[in-house]
Amino acid sequence: MANCIQCGRKLPGFTLGKKICQWCKLHEAAQRGEISEDAPQPVIAAPWVRRESSVSLTHILFGANVAIYVAMAVAMVMNGGSPLDDPSFPISVHFGANYGPLTLSGEWWRLVSYMFLHGGPLHIAMNMWALWNLGTLCESLYGRWTYAAIYLITGVAGGVASLGWNPRVWSVGASGALFGLTGALIASFYLGEFSLSGISIKGTLSSLLFFAGFNLFFGSVVPGIDNACHIGGLLSGLLLGALIAVFVPQQENVSGRVGVLLLVTAIVAGSTVGVLRWRGPQVPQRAAILAFKNAQSTVADLQKKIRANPQDAASHYALAHAYLSLGQKQDAADELKRVVELQPQHSQALLQLGAIYLNQGQAADAQAMFAKLTATEPNNVSGHAGLGMALADQGNHAAAIDEFKAALKLDPQLTGIHYNLGLSQAKLQRYDDAISSYQKEVDIGGDDPDLENSLADAYQAKGMTKEAQAARDLAIKLRNAETE
């Protein structure tokens, strides 16, 4: 079977004469200004043909993104940071980041505002490079108003997907909309018929596929990249591009274009309602949102106070607590470290900094904090308990057992310590002691699946198969009760 010499399409069998397919003949007719009634769909103009326009919508979007980023950088400077720093969480949320607890509580405008914010110099540089190239291509293919609608609809779709995947993670960036433009172009290049040969668009199509594939792969292996937003934008863009290419490729068909855009808007709106019903109950409600906003205001006030008096340990400690209420553990740790520098025997700062280190898997740093605390306050129960957990995390179970026992000597009814003591005893193959510790934990703090599974492991190690199975059965029963 022969191929068309212009576009590479397969030709019907036994094609004689000049090897040109019917589509290319129609394209030639369209280029001559002739109207063909045989065309299965109107021929789309080449998307890279420049049109006369002094200021394009791409220029406007580019300028808006840059201007807002400059405003965020100024806010960073006013709060004691550098214009080259990544905007902090409070500043990003203040400017309109897509954050589940706020968006799902009624601040739906964040699904639009987030796509004009960025998380650092590299982030905005990469996105604006993509916008300049993809936007110019889309604007020439679809026209200004359709291009604007695709940008906004797919950006919102990306934001909704982000909320559905992880409603507690804040999201900023034009990536959702940029993937939407990519999806629309890919669909148009696959399904549309342009006034030029298929060979001419293969290079651009390959570049678009590589852009989408590489960035999705990059987002899957690099932490901190919102791939859910990318996928939501890409899928909605593919849908929009396909519907436009097949049904309303001509820009002059305004009513048809509006119908397609409203249809996809309705799909995105329905998805938003679904995400609200699914994720809404899992995020803090209005009272917590007000507390969150108060914490943001507190952070700003304390930062100003610290700039005026950097040696004020009390303000650093209060700021650490404000950061913790916002979930910013690293910022809280930085403030607590400053408190310890100013007041080395500040017991609460040592305790909380040690707890953050434990939570972050920095057991050696946690050990240092708890050791300082117990050296200063030998009767600090939490200090001995924390030191025991830090030692256990590093495999020093003999020393951990000593610290757990010291904590229990000070407070025999302290919940959780018998369990951790039992874990360390089991690691040292002291199974009778471990079983005794686990049973004491049940008496003091009540039962739970993890405790019963640990007890089963200890029984099994001693060859007490019947008791081990009973403990595992109870663990399953307790786990099922938690999920009901």
Side-chain angles (χ1 to χ4, degrees), residues 300-450:
D301 292 341
L302 288 169
Q303 286 174 335
K304 291 179 181 178
K305 191 173 182 180
I306 288 171
R307 285 198 299 274
N309 184 8
Q311 307 302 312
D312 185 356
S315 293
H316 283 288
Y317 184 70
L319 181 56
H321 271 264
Y323 279 135
L324 285 173
S325 68
L326 293 172
Q328 297 173 247
K329 292 182 180 178
Q330 187 54 54
D331 289 328
D334 292 340
E335 293 302 321
L336 290 170
K337 283 190 285 187
R338 183 60 179 146
V339 174
V340 172
E341 290 173 2
L342 294 169
Q343 296 182 2
Q345 296 185 348
H346 195 297
S347 60
Q348 288 302 310
L350 289 168
L351 178 63
Q352 291 165 11
L353 185 54
I356 291 174
Y357 283 145
L358 267 183
N359 183 262
Q360 293 177 335
Q362 299 171 250
D365 292 329
Q367 178 185 342
M369 294 301 107
F370 292 127
K372 288 181 181 178
L373 175 56
T374 54
T376 303
E377 299 182 8
N379 293 328
N380 191 302
V381 179
S382 298
H384 286 290
L387 182 54
M389 287 187 280
L391 290 166
D393 282 354
Q394 297 174 84
N396 190 352
H397 294 287
I401 288 172
D402 291 338
E403 293 301 327
F404 291 139
K405 287 183 176 180
L408 288 171
K409 185 177 180 180
L410 294 166
D411 185 357
Q413 300 300 309
L414 187 63
T415 58
I417 301 303
H418 283 290
Y419 174 62
N420 283 286
L421 175 60
L423 291 176
S424 288
Q425 289 167 334
K427 288 290 185 180
L428 296 178
Q429 299 182 3
R430 293 162 52 178
Y431 299 116
D432 288 326
D433 291 338
I435 291 170
S436 176
S437 295
Y438 293 145
Q439 290 172 338
K440 288 178 181 177
E441 185 64 41
V442 172
D443 294 338
I444 294 172
D447 215 343
D448 70 63
D450 292 334

Side-chain angles (χ1 to χ4, degrees), residues 2 26 34 41 44 65 95 105 107 109 142-143 170 207 212 326 330 355 373 376 382 385 397 406 410 438 452 454 481:
L26 293 172
E34 300 172 4
Q41 73 175 66
I44 305 174
N65 277 275
F95 274 81
S105 294
E107 297 185 4
W109 51 270
Y142 294 115
W170 56 290
S207 297
L326 293 172
Q330 187 54 54
L373 175 56
T376 303
S382 298
H397 294 287
L410 294 166
Y438 293 145
E452 283 299 326
S454 297

Side-chain angles (χ1 to χ4, degrees), residues 40-81:
Q41 73 175 66
V43 176
I44 305 174
W48 43 81
V49 174
R50 292 188 177 276
R51 287 163 172 74
E52 294 298 328
S53 177
S54 56
V55 178
S56 69
L57 179 58
T58 299
H59 296 151
I60 295 172
L61 291 173
F62 186 98
N65 277 275
V66 172
I68 293 173
Y69 184 77
V70 169
M72 294 176 73
V74 171
M76 284 292 292
V77 172
M78 293 178 65
N79 284 278

Side-chain angles (χ1 to χ4, degrees), residues 53-258:
S53 177
S54 56
V55 178
S56 69
L57 179 58
T58 299
H59 296 151
I60 295 172
L61 291 173
F62 186 98
N65 277 275
V66 172
I68 293 173
Y69 184 77
V70 169
M72 294 176 73
V74 171
M76 284 292 292
V77 172
M78 293 178 65
N79 284 278
S82 165
L84 298 179
D85 290 342
D86 295 348
S88 65
F89 175 70
I91 287 175
S92 296
V93 171
H94 173 75
F95 274 81
N98 182 23
Y99 182 56
L102 297 177
T103 306
L104 294 174
S105 294
E107 297 185 4
W108 299 107
W109 51 270
R110 293 181 178 275
L111 290 173
V112 175
S113 61
Y114 90 98
M115 68 181 81
F116 293 92
L117 313 181
H118 289 86
L122 181 60
H123 190 203
I124 190 170
M126 294 293 291
N127 276 358
M128 291 305 97
W129 173 81
L131 174 61
W132 193 268
N133 291 280
L134 293 171
T136 301
L137 200 58
C138 272
E139 189 165 4
S140 63
L141 173 60
Y142 294 115
R144 178 174 290 191
W145 71 270
T146 303
Y147 161 50
I150 292 173
Y151 188 90
L152 292 174
I153 292 171
T154 59
V156 170
V160 172
S162 179
L163 289 176
W165 183 257
N166 195 335
R168 294 181 180 273
V169 172
W170 56 290
S171 177
V172 295
S175 300
L178 294 174
F179 268 83
L181 299 182
T182 301
L185 287 169
I186 290 173
S188 289
F189 283 177
Y190 263 118
L191 301 175
E193 291 297 339
F194 296 89
S195 56
L196 70 168
S197 68
I199 294 175
S200 302
I201 66 174
K202 281 185 178 179
T204 304
L205 178 57
S206 297
S207 297
L208 290 169
L209 290 171
F210 176 79
F211 172 83
F214 174 79
N215 282 283
L216 288 175
F217 170 77
F218 189 72
S220 68
V221 298
V222 177
I225 295 179
D226 191 356
N227 237 3
C229 182
H230 295 170
I231 294 171
L234 181 65
L235 292 178
S236 58
L238 287 169
L239 177 61
L240 273 168
L243 293 174
I244 291 173
V246 173
F247 297 109
V248 282
Q250 291 180 317
Q251 294 185 24
E252 294 78 11
N253 189 350
V254 176
S255 60
R257 288 272 179 101
V258 170

Side-chain angles (χ1 to χ4, degrees), residues 2-7 9-26 28-29 31-32:
N3 294 332
C4 173
I5 61 174
Q6 291 191 19
C7 70
R9 290 184 178 87
K10 296 293 184 182
L11 295 172
F14 306 107
T15 301
L16 301 176
K18 192 176 181 181
K19 300 294 192 297
I20 300 178
C21 70
Q22 184 178 0
W23 267 115
C24 288
K25 293 177 182 179
L26 293 172
E28 291 175 354
Q31 290 173 325
R32 294 193 298 269

